[in-house]
Amino acid sequence: MMEQILAKLGERFGVLAESNTYQLSVVAKNLDVAVGDLFLLPSQRGLQDRVYVFRASQYANILNRSLEMGDIARNKLTMPDSYLSEDLAEEQLIELKGMVLGYAQQDEAEWTFHRPRRLPEHLSDVYRVNPEQPQVADVMETLLATQLGTEGLYVGDLLAGEQPLPGVKVYLPPYALSHHLGVFGRTGAGKSNLMMVLLRSVMAYNHSLVGSLGRQTAQENMSKRQGNRVSMLAIDPHDEFRFWHLPSGGADGIHGIVEGYSAVEQRQLVDPFYYLTLRNLTEEGLERQVVLSRADVVPEDLISISEFSEQQVAFANQQFAQWGEHWIGRVLMGDTQGTGGFEAGPDFMPGTVAAVQRRLGFLRRGHTRLFSPFDPDLGDEYRSLLPDILCALEQGRVLIVDTTLMGELEQFLLTTVVARSLFTLRRALRSVESVVDLPEALRQAFGNEDGQGQVGLRTLANELVARVEKGQLPYVDEDRLRPTDELPYVNVVVEEAPSVLNPQRMRFGSVFRDISRQGRKFGIGLTVVSQQVSEIDDGVLTQLNTELVMALGNEAERKAAIRNGSADLSGFERELQVMGKGQVVVAASYKDVPLPLQVPEFDRL
């Protein structure tokens, strides 16, 4: 096997000069190289054949003779005829310095990759991984197979220096989206294109699971699943994901993928919708005008997205305990007195009440198109897509939410309400062992306990119980409860993450902090999208299992990204400054080494 690999590597490029566990030095031919280029060092030290993967982080021009480059340069300047370039051609070399990413070792019929705990022998031959040499790509696929992945969610091709290796694809496992991802990069780095490629991969993966199952119901398909589907709630602040570049003559976006499905596939993979917007739509098919209700919101949702003092938090919680799903309307109208089945609570200062009213002001009638009023006595019945959104996410759907017409608080509140409701549902499902106990568990989870006079989110709870009974929430499989590990992996994208995931917002708690700590137990993950790493709460950062790091704007952010990496990112400091558009370093707890890759342009997929 080693002979076959050596035959594909081409000519020797250089020789190992010095090595330690921190850095290797290679003397090589005077050829054009770049920081980030990959090199292979075959080794027969030990019982099994090994191939070390070396990555250059810096290089210098050197001479073979014992002469100083400065002397040669000065002499060439002052006596050009004395030092002709052809006389020095054979003397010119380069010295590469960098780190060993690890080594592949042949174990029986396959190669496994290991962390760099061993070094190659003295004066090992060094071969360059040349993207223009197809056979080298085959070698990298073989040596790095356990790190690249062979199926799942395609994100890009392995990067060797400035060029990707054609066909050497890098995948994320589907379960990565039930954990937490960080997508970090400055403006213009290519985050939107990365999200488009990831969304396309999620849809392709779901299609691969259900495409051969025929005209089954969603629930029947889940019971016959070959693996968990993946759901994503993708916030789209620029309304790009639906049509992508179609209006300017480029590729269609998620709309094009959906339109390419058959009617059966749309029913299995898309129904009831894939695109939500505040715009008025002439037709509502698989695109829908989004609306939630004030009756879907609890105080912790608002506390997570806006500044509240301790007194204001106490007042909001007291109002919810007293009025339940009616609390926002009562506070906005100033009707905060009364027992509501409870003894009168503590008195609050008028300034506290007024401050909470101001923070709820964006939810007033006429101030928001996203949140409908809720007061059945005045004819304002429950009007919300939240139950349908939750059902869609629990059946393995990609949902694009256009937030261009939403205010910042509306966007953050929508994300928070959906994430918190989904988290509440799965915790309730996990809390019971019998199908007959599930309806009551759901009602209690949403604060509805009639025996104790607690209203909570009664209407939402009733809607969700009805959807369980209809099979739209797939929590029951015939006469058994479906465990959460059989449900789709669900991922909620948090755009402009520093605005809601900063330490100040989280001092009174946050559903996102709860999900970051416990979500993986229930198959729920977050994707944190940000231009800044340093502004994210440390409690969230430490829970990220996958980081997709693109070019970052300043040294502080690069240091924060390296410090937080799930795999050791030392040696990538310069790349995070000079990486081109679409270039990403993937650091993940389930990969032994960080992998640089090039995300393809969605238009060319």
Side-chain angles (χ1 to χ4, degrees), residues 175 177-180 419 422-423 426-427 430 484 488-490 511-526 543 545:
Y175 68 77
L177 293 187
S178 68
H179 293 58
H180 312 301
L422 183 66
F423 191 48
R426 291 211 171 176
R427 283 193 301 183
R430 181 73 73 87
T484 55
Y489 303 128
V490 181
V511 65
F512 296 116
R513 173 175 284 178
D514 293 341
I515 292 176
S516 71
R517 292 174 176 174
Q518 304 181 49
R520 71 192 68 179
K521 295 188 298 186
F522 304 100
I524 303 173
L526 302 174
Q543 299 299 324
N545 295 84

Side-chain angles (χ1 to χ4, degrees), residues 150-165:
T150 56
E151 59 183 12
L153 310 178
Y154 167 67
V155 287
D157 297 327
L158 185 68
L159 196 62
E162 299 172 316
Q163 299 181 58
L165 291 169

